[in-house]
Amino acid sequence: MTSGVRVRPVRVDEHERVARLTLAAYDALGVPHGHYRAALADVAGRAAHAPVLVGVRGPEVVGAVTYVPGRDNRFAEFDDPDAAGIRMLAVDPAAQRRGAGAALVAACVDRAVAAGRGRIVLHTTDEMVTARRLYDRMGFRRAPDRDWWPEPHIALLGYVLDLDVHRSPAGA
């Protein structure tokens, strides 16, 4: 599924490309994003405080995600001391369904496991059907107790992937 997609940190010269790609992916959902558009486009701002990873196929950046290493990160939408998070997953609409999203999510999971986190959390919306299918396939479970409404008309649906099964035994 992830064939041909390499994941690495975003480079400064790619910030504008990733901003355009992210806005295109979110715009393809057909729902207005209001003031959130500025946050989606601020790749440099995210990269200054959290790892922004890109999925690259050949020379082309085809997707991006922000990895949130813990609850103290400014991009955390959780208060769980044993969690990491995923924010703003976006795949170029022309490149969707070819493994980039899965590769980006897997890279975040790998980082969380390497950091010894017990779980990885994220939020999505009803409109993000393809992303929700991906999360289901990758073992995430719906976590309604993590749902929240940043605005009265926007429901963010919580998802969790428990990582305890991926941890090495103590002392190993």
Side-chain angles (χ1 to χ4, degrees):
M1 180 191 325
T2 60
S3 175
V5 177
R6 185 172 46 93
V7 177
R8 61 166 171 74
V10 68
R11 297 187 315 241
V12 172
D13 66 315
E14 296 169 327
H15 288 179
E16 188 176 320
R17 164 72 178 127
V18 171
R20 285 192 314 269
L21 176 153
T22 302
L23 289 173
Y26 277 71
D27 287 347
L29 298 170
V31 294
H33 301 295
H35 72 283
Y36 194 53
R37 286 184 67 78
L40 292 168
D42 187 13
V43 178
R46 286 199 305 280
H49 299 282
V52 175
L53 306 175
V54 293
V56 180
R57 183 175 288 117
E60 292 296 316
V61 173
V62 295
V65 67
T66 301
Y67 171 74
V68 182
R71 72 178 182 177
D72 295 331
N73 186 276
R74 73 185 302 169
F75 293 102
E77 293 179 327
F78 55 90
D79 193 29
D80 183 336
D82 199 27
I86 294 175
R87 296 279 315 269
M88 301 179 196
L89 174 65
V91 175
D92 185 326
Q96 290 180 0
R97 298 182 165 281
R98 295 187 207 142
L104 289 161
V105 171
C108 291
V109 170
D110 289 347
R111 283 177 176 246
V113 169
R117 297 294 182 188
R119 67 200 56 79
I120 193 159
V121 300
L122 61 86
H123 291 91
T124 189
T125 66
D126 278 332
E127 295 81 14
M128 297 177 176
V129 175
T130 302
R132 288 187 292 120
R133 283 189 200 127
L134 170 66
Y135 303 141
D136 289 341
R137 279 195 317 271
M138 295 187 78
F140 284 80
R141 64 178 164 76
R142 262 294 275 127
D145 59 313
R146 293 180 184 269
D147 291 357
W148 68 289
W149 290 257
E151 296 181 25
H153 61 285
I154 298 175
L156 295 180
L157 310 175
Y159 278 74
V160 175
L161 177 67
D162 293 311
L163 301 175
D164 289 333
V165 297
H166 300 290
R167 289 188 190 190
S168 298

